[in-house]
Amino acid sequence: MIQCKTSKAISGMGHSMKRKEDIRFIQGRGHYVDDIKLDGMLYMDITRSPYAYAKIKNIDISEAMKVPGVVAVITGKDLEKYNLHWMPTIMSDTQMVLPTDTVMYQAQEVAAVIATSRYAARDGREAVKVEYEPMQALVDPFKAMDPSSPVLRTDKPGKTDNHIWHWEAGDKAKTEKVFSEAAVVVKEQMHIPRIHVSSIETCGCVADYDKINNHLTMYMTTQAPHVLRTVFALVAGHVGLTEEKIRVVSPDIGGGFGGKVPVYPGYVIAIAVSFLVGKPVKWIEDRSENLQADSFARDYHITAEMAGTKEGKILATRFKVLADHGYTDAAANPSKYPAGLFSIATGSYDYGTAFVEADAVYTNKPPGGVAYRCSFRVTEAVHAIERMTDRYALEIGKDPAQLRMDNFIKKEDFPWHSPTGWIYDSGDYHAGLQKAMDVVGYADLRKEQVEKRAKGELMGIGISTFTEIVGAGPSKDFDILGIKMFDSAEIRVHPTGKAIARFGTKSQGQGHETTYAQIIAEELGIPAENIQVEEGDTDTAPYGLGTYASRSTPTAGAAAAVAARKLRDKARKIAAYLLEVSEDDLEWEPGKFFVKGAPEKVKTIQELVFAAYTNFPQGMEAGFEATHYYDPPNLTFPSGAYICVVDIDKETGGIHVRRFVAIDDCGHIINPMIVQGQVHGGLTQGIAPAMYEELIYDEAGNILNGTLMDYLVPTAVESPKWETGHVVTPSPHHPIGAKGVGESPTVGSPPAIANAIIDALSPFGITHLDIPITPFKVWKALKEKGAYG
Ligand code: MCN
Ligand code: CUM
């Protein structure tokens, strides 16, 4: 199905080329931030709050300073002198770097201990004595919205409640009218739980300020090096650290998953300390700190409604969201989209009207919201629409696959204008679902289910046919703090025909060193093997917005193709000159130009590149380099049809995922093996929130599962055998017809699993369960419905 235009030796698009980066990774030779060791380097550790909400009465650093090796202890009061105790968030809110008087969540940074070794820093951290006056924490977001609740952000002058923002999309009046007249209305209250990425590498940095040259090199775990350089310059410009004096280097990253987009206080403290003491400072989080204090994901409370006919035509949807943002809005959204791209919640279905609204609220929890392969909240949107589609099918007694088939947007109706304002580029939803049904053997499974039900056995089949939205820009709509969302590629081909290419994005495990090389190989015919890809160093890479929201292929991948085409145009001119024909007489085949009708008159790309340095036409610029900053005309809309089959043990509530078929459509595929790896990983990160993961807080704001002993990350043992496949609908506006894929499986799979479990339980009148659906939750629901007599 996947067509390769290039030979294996060139390995352009469609080849399952082995990942170039794996040569170092599988030999343990990756170079991560904690591998960086600099002369005179100091180590930082952070004292954190045991309380979710408390006044700081006093911080006594005297004992900590006595610990051998401790050189300094920094508190909010120290930073206040430089006006560095607060920093802006991506959403134009404010976040404490270190508190001067109040802590707002458990595990918040309170003081930083700097020492000559990591051990001394840890001992010093334990010796910092903080006197707190605990206050009643506000943990429940609904309670926090209550006007009678105390105001948490007393630092904001004039703030009289805990409400952050209200946001809406779609047509409220029209939607209300359709709902009031519809024959069938279904409604569920759902919570998409607070979860946390558990990348193997935690966050950290080495801040290296060189006093003599007034220059900061910041080695750090960031998915967006250039944006952070700009943010640091905006924050520290007033002390003389201007943007040309800052170099951000993001070395190899051991998983990002959105958790490495935000600016964490630890980074800023490390910079401040290095600036003050003139020595490099390393800060590396431990596992529990990462889980307890870093950017969380999700935490959306959704009231979801669907209106339709008795026969099964969807007419309208309505979604009302309460978003628990923790104590500050530090969600890594594009600036104009406070609820991310949640308004894609109308899904893959053709109906006229929808209304989506969201309110965000402060609580005494850590900040975040956008992480964990979410495509800016598409995970929440897809869960809402796919759960409601099944809920509606159940209500009217129609097969959920058939209901979907009857409501899908048709492939000839693209570009399709959604009721909430998006223009879907392309898709073939019928083909995707049909393929998934064929692979899983849908009709036979339904027959088997009938037989099983007659015997009292619980078997369920769940479907999710989702539409994703990835690739931010276009820059007219998408920006981060005013920086427009494009991305970039710079290709430099050396005289011998080997190349280096640099990008504004930053791989965290996605395989960019391989796939970008393949894109360039496709366009120029230079073997991918001979194209070195570099990312993550702001001194060398062209400016870009970074890797998240599955945007690298839609933006920087496109930039690579366009830059390579500029070079091919130059190669054509040189070929015409060398072969003494007009450019129109030349034909291109990957890797060479030849004269039409005379294939023996040929110049290879390597010969043409060499000529660009040695023998080019008079007046032509020397060299073989091109740069492109790509601003996508639209987002790309990947899609998927997922079917999950579960068997449930009625006595224990134990859930066994028997089958999981995932048919994805990410347009043209660059590297099928890498895409399959992305899908496998993404599906595992979908089963995680569906069945295992949730960050739980008690009423006092204590995190109850703040270690990986209690927070259940699925392993290979819990993962079913994923059965994957593809439908290919190229993006019409992307230079190589590709769409992003990195997040699709995580976005699309949780509702397939939830739908399968609820399908199994539906004979007992169970219509909805919140994820994670655990055996206990199943058992409890069955018990409440009298399943045990
Ligand atoms: N690809 C392809 N053909 C396509 C689309 C993509 O071959 N049609 C390849 C790309 O070339 C790239 C990979 O698949 O090598 C993912 O591409 P893309 O979908 O563009 O996503 P990004 O590279 O922008 O990665 C971001 C995405 C996000 S937002 C999260 S979160 C996530 C994810 O990727 N974090 C990851 N996958 C991850 N995988 C690993 N190993 N580690 C993470 O931290
Ligand atoms: Cu929402 S996680 Mo990814 O966009 O880095």
Side-chain angles (χ1 to χ4, degrees):
M1 183 186 61
I2 288 146
Q3 302 250 312
C4 302
K5 279 191 278 166
T6 57
S7 64
K8 190 156 186 275
I10 293 176
S11 275
M13 301 246 325
H15 288 278
S16 284
M17 180 185 185
K18 282 193 182 161
R19 299 194 344 156
K20 299 168 114 196
E21 43 272 82
D22 284 350
I23 293 169
R24 64 178 189 279
F25 290 155
I26 61 176
Q27 297 184 66
R29 296 295 175 92
H31 192 62
Y32 299 90
V33 72
D34 202 19
D35 294 322
I36 293 166
K37 293 179 177 69
L38 302 177
D39 284 347
M41 190 169 78
L42 298 172
Y43 296 79
M44 180 169 100
D45 207 332
I46 293 177
T47 303
R48 293 173 183 273
S49 170
Y51 298 106
Y53 193 30
K55 283 255 171 283
I56 297 174
K57 305 287 284 183
N58 187 42
I59 302 178
D60 179 359
I61 65 166
S62 56
E63 288 303 312
M65 288 300 292
K66 286 184 202 155
V67 172
V70 169
V71 296
V73 179
I74 309 289
T75 66
K77 297 267 191 227
D78 299 317
L79 295 181
E80 192 176 15
K81 291 176 205 149
Y82 302 92
N83 199 22
L84 278 173
H85 55 315
W86 285 87
M87 62 181 184
T89 71
I90 290 175
M91 286 312 286
S92 301
D93 204 331
T94 50
Q95 178 171 5
M96 289 178 222
V97 179
L98 283 173
T100 51
D101 51 21
T102 314
V103 286
M104 301 295 283
Y105 65 91
Q106 191 181 53
Q108 187 183 336
E109 301 82 356
V110 173
V113 179
I114 320 299
T116 50
S117 74
R118 172 131 204 197
Y119 301 101
R122 179 54 60 103
D123 288 347
R125 158 184 137 161
E126 304 307 328
V128 174
K129 296 282 169 279
V130 188
E131 210 182 305
Y132 296 97
E133 183 184 309
M135 297 187 280
Q136 180 57 51
L138 257 180
V139 179
D140 179 341
F142 291 95
K143 218 168 172 183
M145 280 295 275
D146 191 321
S148 67
S149 283
V151 178
L152 291 180
R153 292 297 300 271
T154 49
D155 58 287
K156 288 178 179 263
K159 186 93 184 112
T160 57
D161 58 23
N162 297 312
H163 187 232
I164 312 176
W165 44 255
H166 175 82
W167 172 88
E168 48 190 60
D171 188 331
K172 187 175 186 181
K174 196 171 157 199
T175 304
E176 275 173 8
K177 188 165 184 298
V178 175
F179 264 89
S180 67
E181 292 166 0
V184 183
V185 172
V186 284
K187 180 174 181 175
E188 293 290 351
Q189 179 65 37
M190 52 184 86
H191 181 220
I192 316 295
R194 183 174 273 246
I195 54 175
H196 202 282
V197 310
S198 309
S199 46
I200 291 176
E201 182 200 34
T202 61
C203 292
C205 66
V206 178
D208 181 18
Y209 178 69
D210 165 2
K211 256 193 171 110
I212 307 296
N213 296 303
N214 180 35
H215 184 278
L216 171 74
T217 306
M218 184 65 176
Y219 304 93
M220 63 187 297
T221 50
T222 178
Q223 299 175 222
H226 284 95
V227 177
L228 289 215
R229 185 188 69 192
T230 304
V231 171
F232 292 150
L234 292 174
V235 172
H238 68 285
V239 293
L241 261 184
T242 46
E243 202 163 0
E244 84 284 13
K245 296 291 188 188
I246 303 172
R247 175 180 175 202
V248 174
V249 180
S250 195
D252 283 332
I253 291 190
F257 306 112
K260 287 172 180 160
V261 177
V263 180
Y264 293 118
Y267 299 141
V268 180
I269 307 168
I271 293 176
V273 174
S274 183
F275 188 73
L276 293 176
V277 303
K279 287 190 172 173
V281 176
K282 179 186 274 190
W283 167 66
I284 307 285
E285 284 173 340
D286 70 19
R287 179 54 57 191
S288 299
E289 291 178 296
N290 177 269
L291 185 60
Q292 294 171 18
D294 278 8
S295 180
F296 73 92
R298 326 266 196 271
D299 216 345
Y300 260 25
H301 297 264
I302 307 172
T303 312
E305 293 172 277
M306 183 177 275
T309 65
K310 284 198 194 98
E311 295 73 32
K313 171 85 195 90
I314 302 171
L315 298 174
T317 47
R318 192 154 59 187
F319 302 101
K320 187 175 167 56
V321 174
L322 182 61
D324 184 343
H325 273 258
Y327 96 89
T328 181
D329 186 359
N333 296 303
S335 300
K336 291 193 196 80
Y337 296 89
L341 308 186
F342 182 81
S343 59
I344 194 75
T346 57
S348 309
Y349 313 109
D350 178 1
Y351 57 93
T353 184
F355 181 62
V356 179
E357 62 183 319
D359 288 277
V361 64
Y362 293 126
T363 58
N364 289 113
K365 287 181 215 153
V370 171
Y372 209 123
R373 294 177 109 148
C374 68
S375 302
F376 301 135
R377 307 274 191 195
V378 184
T379 34
E380 292 91 321
V382 164
H383 203 82
I385 182 72
E386 290 306 304
R387 266 289 34 249
M388 290 319 286
T389 305
D390 259 43
R391 177 69 190 84
Y392 172 42
L394 179 66
E395 187 75 12
I396 60 171
K398 189 163 176 163
D399 180 90
Q402 192 57 48
L403 186 125
R404 285 176 166 82
M405 286 290 193
D406 292 350
N407 283 281
F408 277 148
I409 300 157
K410 295 184 190 66
K411 75 168 187 240
E412 54 275 18
D413 290 341
F414 290 91
W416 188 78
H417 292 248
S418 94
T420 47
W422 301 112
I423 303 173
Y424 294 14
D425 60 348
S426 64
D428 188 348
Y429 303 147
H430 291 91
L433 179 54
Q434 192 56 55
K435 188 162 182 181
M437 289 168 74
D438 293 346
V439 172
V440 83
Y442 188 76
D444 288 345
L445 286 168
R446 283 290 176 206
K447 274 188 215 134
E448 182 192 341
Q449 187 183 37
V450 171
E451 289 159 15
K452 288 231 153 106
R453 277 187 181 163
K455 291 190 275 180
E457 290 174 28
L458 305 182
M459 169 192 168
I461 306 159
I463 304 173
S464 167
T465 45
F466 63 94
T467 293
E468 250 266 69
I469 168 169
V470 300
S475 72
K476 66 179 174 8
D477 298 321
F478 289 86
D479 68 272
I480 289 178
L481 296 172
I483 306 168
K484 286 181 174 290
M485 295 185 80
F486 53 82
D487 230 291
S488 58
E490 180 203 276
I491 308 171
R492 203 177 275 188
V493 190
H494 312 312
T496 54
K498 323 285 182 203
I500 183 161
R502 296 184 169 113
F503 294 84
T505 49
K506 174 64 202 166
S507 183
Q508 313 123 43
Q510 293 90 342
H512 292 175
E513 285 169 49
T514 308
T515 46
Y516 286 151
Q518 288 185 265
I519 296 172
I520 298 166
E522 176 78 15
E523 299 295 336
L524 286 179
I526 295 174
E529 201 190 346
N530 295 145
I531 301 164
Q532 179 78 20
V533 169
E534 255 186 42
E535 295 176 298
D537 183 341
T538 58
D539 267 12
T540 53
Y543 201 100
L545 278 283
T547 289
Y548 40 84
S550 308
R551 67 186 295 280
S552 303
T553 302
T555 58
V562 176
R565 286 172 196 180
K566 289 180 187 172
L567 290 176
R568 201 166 67 201
D569 288 344
K570 180 164 188 172
R572 180 187 289 270
K573 287 192 169 58
I574 300 173
Y577 168 73
L578 296 178
L579 294 166
E580 297 178 347
V581 293
S582 102
E583 285 182 49
D584 296 340
D585 292 333
L586 290 170
E587 202 145 338
W588 169 256
E589 193 175 277
K592 55 188 169 213
F593 275 110
F594 59 91
V595 178
K596 281 179 196 163
E600 71 287 355
K601 291 189 169 180
V602 60
K603 288 287 170 196
T604 66
I605 187 74
Q606 285 78 11
E607 289 169 323
L608 296 167
V609 173
F610 195 67
Y613 292 88
T614 56
N615 180 20
F616 48 88
Q618 192 65 32
M620 178 183 270
E621 210 177 325
F624 208 75
E625 294 181 22
T627 304
H628 191 77
Y629 286 77
Y630 186 80
D631 183 1
N634 189 6
L635 294 121
T636 67
F637 294 75
S639 62
Y642 292 178
I643 302 184
C644 173
V645 184
V646 298
D647 297 298
I648 296 179
D649 178 357
K650 193 173 156 194
E651 299 311 315
T652 63
I655 303 157
H656 171 66
V657 178
R658 189 204 306 181
R659 300 277 301 277
F660 198 105
V661 172
I663 304 299
D664 274 283
D665 185 350
C666 57
H668 285 148
I669 292 173
I670 302 154
N671 184 317
M673 182 192 69
I674 286 181
V675 168
Q676 195 185 35
Q678 286 291 305
V679 173
H680 281 196
L683 291 172
T684 307
Q685 287 188 302
I687 197 171
M691 293 174 63
Y692 303 101
E693 296 184 14
E694 177 177 19
L695 289 170
I696 307 168
Y697 293 82
D698 71 9
E699 277 178 15
N702 297 306
I703 181 165
L704 299 182
N705 54 351
T707 75
L708 290 188
M709 290 297 284
D710 308 297
Y711 182 86
L712 295 180
V713 177
T715 66
V717 175
E718 286 78 19
S719 304
K721 183 180 184 300
W722 308 114
E723 299 170 62
T724 61
H726 290 276
V727 162
V728 176
T729 324
S731 169
H733 62 75
H734 189 276
I736 54 171
K739 302 177 178 187
V741 78
E743 294 162 301
S744 285
T746 306
V747 163
S749 57
I753 298 161
N755 284 345
I757 297 170
I758 301 200
D759 182 50
L761 302 177
S762 62
F764 296 91
I766 293 165
T767 61
H768 178 74
L769 289 174
D770 273 339
I771 54 169
I773 308 182
T774 58
F776 178 65
K777 239 184 227 180
V778 169
W779 178 84
K780 196 160 157 269
L782 284 171
K783 190 165 168 60
E784 278 164 15
K785 295 289 182 186
Y788 303 119

